Amino acid sequence: MAFNFQTFKTRALTALLFVAVMLTGLLWNFWSFLILFTVIHFGCWYEYLKLVEKIYSTKIDIVIKWFFAICGFTLMIVLGVQDYWADIYFYPFSIKISVKWSIWILEIVCLIFFLTQNKQIPVKAKWMSFAGLIYISLSFALFLNIRDNVFIFFGAEVDFGRMFVCIIVFSIWINDTMAYLVGSFIGKTPFSKISPKKTVEGTLGGIILCIVIMGLFSYVFFGVKEDDIKEFALFSLGIPAICAIFGTFGDLFESKLKRMADVKDSGSFMPGHGGFLDRFDSLLVAVPFVWLYLKLVVY
């Protein structure tokens, strides 16, 4: 894959604005984070359902599209935010309603309503649409959960949620950038038929450089004592490794969807980068594995 300076320039300039917006949302406070990923969540749903329509040559009613996106958003909030959903009391009637159970019922109604509406829509298209609740909404829910959590780190409870989500995002950015650069200069061996431009050299280079760069950054920024080497490795090397490896599979999965839909990009909100799914495909697959890793190893 030959290096294209004009393409790289377009991607770089567009990325500057993207990075500025992302950093503001990630670092300002929890609410800026929530607003940022609420917008991204709905953007991903819009593009995902467009792909489903193209793949199965069908048309999903706009009401159903919004119904799915809103159900996905409620799922993201309920699972992602700690101690937020409590029972609601309606006075003066003393009626108590469980918000969480109400959300689960809404999800079930969504499934039944969609699967039984409009017989012209293929059943596979209906199930694939419903799968977006797992592919998109559940992933963002776990990402939100990581942000809104307290972790046991170096033997103490620390509010490192903000730091962990930044490490995830930065790791994916570094992996994508390094894979593109390494593949552009020395890539020769195709990695997958799904994405012809992706090479073995670029993929391995991206993964290795992602781990090395994030490890060096963490070492310089945080420092490490001899007694903390194990925890440092789990934190500074483990998360980037998971993001780089599973982020690559996330990119391939979205490439498969686009190939099935016969489109180059999922959208066009970022020149040179495509749409929301093109930008966050790696994140959607990597986050569940990072969440499991944090639950099993770091918590």
Side-chain angles (χ1 to χ4, degrees):
M1 181 172 62
F3 180 73
N4 188 315
F5 178 77
Q6 187 58 43
T7 300
F8 182 74
K9 179 181 177 181
T10 301
R11 289 170 61 93
L13 292 176
T14 307
L16 288 177
L17 177 60
F18 174 72
V19 169
V21 174
M22 286 292 296
L23 289 179
T24 301
L26 288 169
L27 300 175
W28 191 1
N29 56 38
F30 177 77
W31 292 106
S32 66
F33 180 88
L34 179 59
I35 292 171
L36 173 65
F37 281 92
T38 294
V39 173
I40 294 171
H41 174 270
F42 280 101
C44 286
W45 261 107
Y46 172 76
E47 294 177 358
Y48 179 73
L49 291 178
K50 279 180 60 180
L51 290 177
V52 172
E53 289 179 325
K54 290 181 180 295
I55 291 172
Y56 293 101
S57 300
T58 187
K59 186 69 176 177
I60 301 174
D61 189 89
I62 187 64
V63 175
I64 302 299
K65 289 181 179 180
W66 273 106
F67 197 53
F68 261 102
I70 293 173
C71 283
F73 175 70
T74 57
L75 178 69
M76 182 178 85
I77 297 298
V78 167
L79 295 181
V81 181
Q82 301 293 306
D83 301 325
Y84 183 81
W85 296 97
D87 294 333
I88 294 179
Y89 292 87
F90 288 90
Y91 295 102
F93 306 104
S94 297
I95 299 175
K96 183 177 75 171
I97 295 180
S98 171
V99 176
K100 283 190 175 181
W101 275 106
S102 300
I103 297 301
W104 303 143
I105 292 173
L106 179 61
E107 302 291 345
I108 294 173
V109 170
C110 172
L111 171 61
I112 296 174
F113 181 63
F114 182 63
L115 292 179
T116 56
Q117 69 92 39
N118 199 335
K119 303 296 183 180
Q120 295 180 351
I121 299 179
V123 174
K124 289 184 178 180
K126 294 179 179 180
W127 281 109
M128 187 173 177
S129 300
F130 187 74
L133 291 172
I134 298 175
Y135 175 50
I136 299 172
S137 300
L138 179 60
S139 292
F140 283 131
L142 297 179
F143 198 47
L144 195 61
N145 183 256
I146 293 173
R147 174 63 180 83
D148 190 44
N149 234 315
V150 174
F151 300 86
I152 305 298
F153 194 69
F154 290 162
E157 285 193 0
V158 185
D159 183 13
F160 269 0
R162 178 184 301 176
M163 183 182 299
F164 281 130
V165 295
C166 287
I167 290 174
I168 293 170
V169 172
F170 294 162
S171 296
I172 289 173
W173 285 354
I174 292 172
N175 178 56
D176 288 346
T177 303
M178 293 300 106
Y180 175 75
L181 292 176
V182 173
S184 297
F185 286 109
I186 65 172
K188 295 180 179 179
T189 310
F191 181 76
S192 171
K193 293 181 179 179
I194 297 174
S195 184
K197 293 183 179 181
K198 192 179 292 294
T199 64
V200 173
E201 294 82 0
T203 301
L204 292 178
I207 293 173
I208 294 172
L209 289 173
C210 172
I211 297 172
V212 171
I213 292 172
M214 288 302 298
L216 289 174
F217 174 80
S218 298
Y219 180 82
V220 171
F221 189 77
F222 300 110
V224 59
K225 299 178 181 179
E226 186 176 345
D227 296 338
D228 297 330
I229 292 178
K230 181 179 178 181
E231 288 182 299
F232 174 81
L234 292 174
F235 158 63
S236 302
L237 304 180
I239 296 176
I242 293 172
C243 289
I245 294 171
F246 289 99
T248 299
F249 285 107
D251 181 63
L252 288 175
F253 178 73
E254 200 244 350
S255 294
K256 178 65 174 180
L257 292 180
K258 290 190 292 185
R259 174 164 287 201
M260 293 169 64
D262 194 26
V263 296
K264 180 181 178 182
D265 297 317
S266 64
S268 58
F269 91 102
M270 281 187 66
H273 293 270
F276 285 94
L277 281 178
D278 295 314
R279 220 32 289 187
F280 296 97
D281 52 1
S282 298
L283 184 76
L284 290 174
V285 174
V287 162
F289 291 96
V290 174
W291 183 86
L292 283 173
Y293 178 75
L294 292 174
K295 279 287 186 180
L296 297 174
V297 178
V298 180
Y299 268 59

